[in-house]
């Protein structure tokens, strides 16, 4: 399988949207046109340290990663944070995720990020098996505060 990894262009909007909707569906998070437009605009905003890479096979998008810079005060440096990773089901197991992580590591080196962090659901066993292979699991527990309206 010939897999290419690259940043998306305007012509990739349809594939990107299909993949990102698949990601939202997997996590059972409602998706709408407004959210899609906001995230798409973030990708191309030169003032925002938010990035996207897409995996393509035979010219069609089969996977994506969204990642960004994140301050790490204890390091006095920025690190990378992987927000979203999705590979369409029929492309899983074919090396797409490995190629995406290789490019993510390359991008981290270019940005000078000493580490890349991310979170996943505890029951996301298939993804966790990949993460256990490519990274080190930490003992940090994630909390989320809802500030109310």
């Amino acid at each position: 399988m010939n897999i290419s990894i690259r940043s998306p262009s305007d012509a990739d909007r349809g594939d990107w949207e299909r993949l990102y909707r698949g990601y939202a569906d997997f996590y059972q998070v409602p998706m709408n046109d407004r959210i899609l437009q906001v995230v798409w605009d973030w990708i191309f905003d030169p003032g925002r340290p938010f990035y996207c890479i897409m995996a393509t096979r035979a010219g069609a998008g089969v996977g994506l990663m969204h990642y960004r810079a994140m301050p790490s005060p204890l390091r006095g440096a920025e690190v990378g944070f992987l927000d979203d990773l999705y590979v369409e089901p029929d492309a899983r197991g074919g090396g797409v995720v490995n190629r995406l992580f290789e490019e993510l590591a390359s991008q981290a080196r270019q940005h000078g990020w000493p580490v890349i962090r991310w979170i996943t659901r505890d029951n996301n066993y298939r993804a966790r098996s990949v993460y256990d292979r490519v990274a080190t699991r930490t003992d940090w527990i994630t909390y989320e505060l809802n500030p109310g309206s």
Side-chain angles (χ1 to χ4, degrees), residues 52-63:
C52 178
I53 50 177
M54 289 182 62
T56 61
R57 180 179 63 197
V62 294

Side-chain angles (χ1 to χ4, degrees), residues 1-148:
M1 162 177 2
N2 189 15
I3 302 163
S4 297
I5 307 294
R6 59 180 172 71
S7 297
S9 69
D10 287 336
D12 295 310
R13 174 67 188 255
D15 280 346
W16 172 85
E17 186 172 314
R18 177 180 46 77
L19 292 166
Y20 202 48
R21 284 184 184 275
Y23 178 78
D25 289 348
F26 176 80
Y27 280 111
Q28 299 176 347
V29 174
M31 183 55 58
N32 61 47
D33 291 340
R34 184 197 65 78
I35 294 170
L36 290 167
Q37 189 62 52
V38 166
V39 177
W40 185 251
D41 289 345
W42 285 351
I43 293 167
F44 296 99
D45 181 349
R48 182 178 296 272
F50 182 83
Y51 310 96
C52 178
I53 50 177
M54 289 182 62
T56 61
R57 180 179 63 197
V62 294
L64 65 76
M65 277 183 164
H66 294 143
Y67 58 99
R68 61 187 159 90
M70 180 178 82
S72 178
L74 286 174
R75 286 186 173 85
E78 286 188 333
V79 300
F81 190 86
L82 172 59
D83 284 291
D84 308 316
L85 165 58
Y86 183 74
V87 175
E88 63 182 19
D90 70 348
R92 294 176 187 166
V96 173
V97 76
N98 294 334
R99 294 290 313 281
L100 284 164
F101 271 110
E102 288 167 6
E103 181 59 24
L104 181 61
S106 174
Q107 292 294 317
R109 288 188 296 273
Q110 289 178 35
H111 288 288
W113 299 337
V115 298
I116 301 163
R117 291 186 175 153
W118 64 91
I119 60 174
T120 194
R121 281 217 172 124
D122 184 59
N123 68 353
N124 193 354
Y125 301 113
R126 183 167 186 161
R128 287 179 55 197
S129 70
V130 171
Y131 302 158
D132 288 343
R133 184 173 41 80
V134 302
T136 302
R137 182 177 173 187
T138 70
D139 58 358
W140 294 97
I141 298 172
T142 302
Y143 290 90
E144 189 171 271
L145 172 70
N146 182 341

